[in-house]
Amino acid sequence: DSGVTQTPKHLITATGQRVTLRCSPRSGDLSVYWYQQSLDQGLQFLIQYYNGEERAKGNILERFSAQQFPDLHSELNLSSLELGDSALYFCASSVEGGVGDTQYFGPGTRLTVL
Amino acid sequence: EDQVTQSPEALRLQEGESSSLNCSYTVSGLRGLFWYRQDPGKGPEFLFTLYSAGEEKEKERLKATLTKKESFLHITAPKPEDSATYLCAVRDSGGYQKVTFGTGTKLQVIP
């Protein structure tokens, strides 16, 4: 158990809908990362937050957004969902998000768009 | 752009048959190379971080090594429970020190 929690575990929805994925980092970690992993694809970095502020953006679509709250939990919002958005979404956390930092991953949320 | 290439894509070993997984990388200033293990449908589990060429780290049957262009994950006398996908990732020295993952090597150890 990494100490990172994600809810829900599974989510099934329809095209065009909007969903919110939630992540609670390990105790003491200030940085949160979101990744997408599609079938047979590597982990694609989406976005990073550090202590409530956006720090880095990866291949995140404009339909997707995220935020980190004062209690350091983070939410990833996915809107106007398409079939191709079906994937595993992972959250990771680290102490600072800088050199020497190790990212610890949560169990993931499996999103199925029908 | 940073690139991480892992080989082979899949590897099937008999229990006890040692082997190595390869991770080749190109990065603008390496600030860490990471190895993770991922079971199907689960989140990646951290194994090792390596920072400089010549560095080695060990954990049970696993040993990770690093050169200037690649890293190897050596698996000695593997057991069926070592079956998983092994992911390699690199952190660069850019402003945001982005982490880039490879697509992994899927290891199957047969009893």
Side-chain angles (χ1 to χ4, degrees), chain A residues 37 55 90 98-99 101 103, chain B residues 36 38 43 51 91 96-97:
Chain A
Q37 188 176 44
R55 173 170 275 192
F90 290 105
V99 175
D101 243 14
Q103 295 181 26
Chain B
Y36 287 84
Q38 186 176 25
Y51 293 103
R91 183 197 300 277
Y96 294 118
Q97 297 165 357

Side-chain angles (χ1 to χ4, degrees), chain A residues 26-47:
Chain A
R26 295 185 319 156
S27 177
D29 285 358
L30 298 178
S31 203
V32 170
Y33 311 75
W34 286 98
Y35 290 86
Q36 179 192 59
Q37 188 176 44
S38 303
L39 197 63
D40 295 330
Q41 294 269 334
L43 282 162
Q44 299 294 316
F45 169 68
L46 297 178
I47 197 164

Side-chain angles (χ1 to χ4, degrees), chain B residues 8-101:
Chain B
E9 289 186 10
L11 182 61
R12 196 174 179 186
L13 298 173
Q14 292 290 328
E15 184 173 2
E17 179 187 3
S18 301
S19 188
S20 297
L21 314 182
N22 178 263
C23 171
S24 298
Y25 62 89
T26 54
V27 64
S28 55
L30 182 70
R31 288 295 182 264
L33 184 140
F34 307 89
W35 282 99
Y36 287 84
R37 168 196 170 123
Q38 186 176 25
D39 293 304
K42 302 286 180 65
E45 174 189 344
F46 171 72
L47 294 173
F48 304 108
T49 307
L50 301 168
Y51 293 103
S52 56
E55 190 174 359
E56 299 182 352
K57 287 195 176 171
E58 285 188 71
K59 179 180 179 180
E60 296 180 357
R61 294 177 294 281
L62 300 177
K63 178 180 176 180
T65 62
L66 180 64
T67 73
K68 287 187 177 179
K69 292 185 178 180
E70 57 193 352
S71 176
F72 292 93
L73 185 65
H74 307 278
I75 302 177
T76 303
K79 298 182 178 181
E81 53 262 41
D82 295 324
S83 298
T85 295
Y86 290 85
L87 300 171
C88 171
V90 295
R91 183 197 300 277
D92 67 23
S93 61
Y96 294 118
Q97 297 165 357
K98 183 166 62 80
V99 175
T100 302
F101 279 82

Side-chain angles (χ1 to χ4, degrees), chain A residues 30-34 45 47-57 60 65-69 72-76 92 94 96-97:
Chain A
L30 298 178
S31 203
V32 170
Y33 311 75
W34 286 98
F45 169 68
I47 197 164
Q48 179 197 357
Y49 279 83
Y50 172 73
N51 204 21
E53 300 287 329
E54 181 185 306
R55 173 170 275 192
K57 252 183 179 178
I60 188 166
S65 65
Q67 54 184 324
Q68 187 180 26
F69 295 86
L72 300 178
H73 91 272
S74 178
E75 293 182 355
L76 179 67
S94 68
E96 294 181 349

